[in-house]
Amino acid sequence: MKKLIQLFVAIFLISGIILFALNRLNTTQGYSGKNVLNIYNWGDYIDPELIDQFEKESGIKVVYQTFDSNEAMLTKIEQGGTTYDIAVPSDYAIAKMIEEDLVLPIDQQKIPNLKNIDPRFLDLSFDPGNKYSIPYFWGTVGIVYNQKLIDGKKPTSWKDIWDPALKNQILLADGAREVMGMSLNSLGYSLNETDETKLQEAKANLMDLTPNVKAIVGDEIKLLLANEEAGIGVVWSGDANEIMSENENLNYVIPKEGSNVWFDNVVIPKTAKNVKGAHEFINFMLDPKNAAKNADYVGYSTPNKAALKLLDRDVREDKRFYPDKEVTDTLEVYENLGKEMLAHYNELFLEFKMHKK
Ligand code: N2P
């Protein structure tokens, strides 16, 4: 009997030691539950050195995944399955996520660096009071053009890119709102149009653009344009800014009919496992030095007033990326048009993509 008890005690002690060792191993590798932060962000949308720095300062291991459109991100989060502690949707997608109960409220007490954000980027209609989201970057949709390739045909309006002289010269960002919005704007309509006749007109207008469209692409659009594979790209402003620093033939214009101004904010998805770490990360990214470093790296416009001061004067005064009120007055934010209308936009965009193939 005594032997049996000794055996049980020994087994108990050994399993205790093994469990302890495994746990230590996990912790030092950063894989134990609370010690990991799962981030879901747009491609090329953070300076990787900031991830390293955050990991060092916080002791939290970052697992990083990317998407290249709001639609792709929404589908993944709506489906569940994968859990993220941080995601970075745009305005209308944030409104949709709030409506569908997919995000957690943010505890602003835990984000003292929120004071660095310019108030004009706070309390916007897609998230009143910033209950669920904190500003990350903002920008516009516009045309990047290669002055050498398009031979002096400098576009100033959306209509210009329908010019038959631009056959096979255009790359489009792969986003339903962006492409449908561009077509609606070129017809003089709002990019939040819901009237079926106008939407069909916008789709037919896109079909007419087909001969000029070389491809509809994701993040590789930057590489293709920088390598002069096409003369025109319909892109987000910061992507243009980044490639303009690599190729001096490139320039960016916000078309005169108006366009989209968007706001990408950080949210904490409902299924987050590390809510504390998520707050730490948000606060870290709002530190003026970190936000300036990030803006410098990705080329997007920062809503962080304190960070803006740290950027070079020619960057913060570049009207193409920090446009004046005169231009911003011509811009619209995508509204959350509701589940069905968004699905309809996706459908129309898909029909255009199929036609293109
Ligand atoms: C980054 C794309 C930024 C997205 N590559 C615009 N909302």
Side-chain angles (χ1 to χ4, degrees):
M1 185 64 181
K2 207 175 159 196
K3 281 237 163 80
L4 203 60
I5 291 174
Q6 277 173 346
L7 185 67
F8 273 128
V9 171
I11 291 175
F12 182 73
L13 283 176
I14 291 169
S15 21
I17 291 167
I18 292 175
L19 277 177
F20 177 75
L22 278 178
N23 193 27
R24 280 295 304 209
L25 194 68
N26 275 340
T27 315
T28 48
Q29 287 182 344
Y31 287 110
S32 84
K34 291 274 174 286
N35 218 17
V36 177
L37 194 71
N38 282 289
I39 299 181
Y40 196 31
N41 198 357
W42 296 83
D44 302 331
Y45 218 27
I46 197 165
D47 181 339
E49 281 181 20
L50 286 167
I51 299 182
D52 294 346
Q53 194 185 322
F54 175 74
E55 286 184 325
K56 272 196 207 109
E57 281 178 25
S58 64
I60 295 172
K61 156 108 187 130
V62 169
V63 178
Y64 199 82
Q65 276 183 38
T66 63
F67 55 85
D68 53 25
S69 73
N70 277 301
E71 286 61 44
M73 179 272 316
L74 279 170
T75 310
K76 193 122 179 240
I77 293 196
E78 281 163 352
Q79 276 167 354
T82 29
T83 61
Y84 299 107
D85 302 301
I86 289 281
V88 192
S90 313
D91 36 68
Y92 74 97
I94 295 170
K96 190 164 191 266
M97 291 172 94
I98 297 173
E99 191 178 281
E100 291 176 8
D101 198 18
L102 291 172
V103 284
L104 291 176
I106 290 191
D107 183 352
Q108 294 189 1
Q109 306 283 39
K110 299 211 170 81
I111 316 205
N113 282 331
L114 189 58
K115 65 173 187 299
N116 299 321
I117 295 291
D118 184 334
R120 65 191 178 105
F121 298 102
L122 295 172
D123 200 25
L124 298 177
S125 63
F126 57 85
D127 179 21
N130 291 86
K131 266 182 82 178
Y132 299 95
S133 75
I134 302 293
Y136 186 67
F137 281 120
W138 71 280
T140 56
V141 172
I143 303 172
V144 65
Y145 59 95
N146 186 314
Q147 303 167 88
K148 194 181 81 191
L149 292 187
I150 62 166
D151 196 22
K153 276 191 169 301
K154 175 178 168 217
T156 55
S157 92
W158 286 122
K159 280 210 179 83
D160 292 341
I161 69 170
W162 266 260
D163 184 340
L166 294 175
K167 190 160 187 283
N168 214 23
Q169 278 297 338
I170 303 179
L171 295 173
L172 297 175
D174 191 4
R177 292 300 297 263
E178 285 73 11
V179 175
M180 279 297 289
M182 160 191 88
S183 183
L184 285 161
N185 274 168
S186 77
L187 295 167
Y189 301 143
S190 159
L191 44 72
N192 293 307
E193 191 54 67
T194 57
D195 178 272
E196 184 56 17
T197 318
K198 291 178 181 161
L199 289 175
Q200 289 300 339
E201 204 185 321
K203 190 188 84 181
N205 191 37
L206 283 179
M207 302 298 195
D208 291 343
L209 185 66
T210 308
N212 287 3
V213 179
K214 183 161 190 173
I216 303 167
V217 279
D219 285 325
E220 62 275 30
I221 199 164
K222 287 189 289 185
L223 194 69
L224 294 170
L225 289 163
N227 287 346
E228 310 204 321
E229 297 287 339
I232 298 265
V234 174
V235 296
W236 292 293
S237 47
D239 283 5
N241 196 10
E242 192 193 325
I243 54 177
M244 278 160 56
S245 62
E246 292 161 23
N247 183 331
E248 57 178 22
N249 295 322
L250 299 175
N251 201 353
Y252 179 72
V253 64
I254 301 172
K256 62 175 182 226
E257 299 97 327
S259 184
N260 165 240
V261 58
W262 50 263
F263 306 95
D264 287 347
N265 284 16
V266 184
V267 299
I268 306 179
K270 192 109 200 202
T271 49
K273 293 210 177 84
N274 191 354
V275 176
K276 185 170 171 286
H279 282 87
E280 270 183 63
F281 178 78
I282 297 172
N283 195 50
F284 172 86
M285 293 308 292
L286 293 190
D287 171 89
K289 262 211 219 111
N290 297 344
K293 184 172 164 62
N294 206 22
D296 241 346
Y297 183 89
V298 300
Y300 277 89
S301 311
T302 179
N304 191 311
K305 222 176 167 174
L308 199 60
K309 286 197 196 123
L310 303 177
L311 297 177
D312 285 346
R313 181 180 282 263
D314 56 341
V315 172
R316 67 188 134 95
E317 287 182 358
D318 190 334
K319 297 284 173 256
R320 292 168 298 185
F321 304 109
Y322 290 94
D324 281 336
K325 188 168 173 334
E326 195 189 317
V327 171
T328 52
D329 281 351
T330 68
L331 306 175
E332 287 178 284
V333 182
Y334 298 129
E335 282 163 22
N336 175 21
L337 302 174
K339 215 181 175 112
E340 269 158 43
M341 192 45 74
L342 284 182
H344 189 41
Y345 266 68
N346 286 342
E347 229 169 65
L348 295 170
F349 178 51
L350 199 65
E351 284 168 29
F352 162 60
K353 275 167 95 171
M354 300 301 284
H355 177 77
K356 156 88 202 97
K357 272 185 185 155

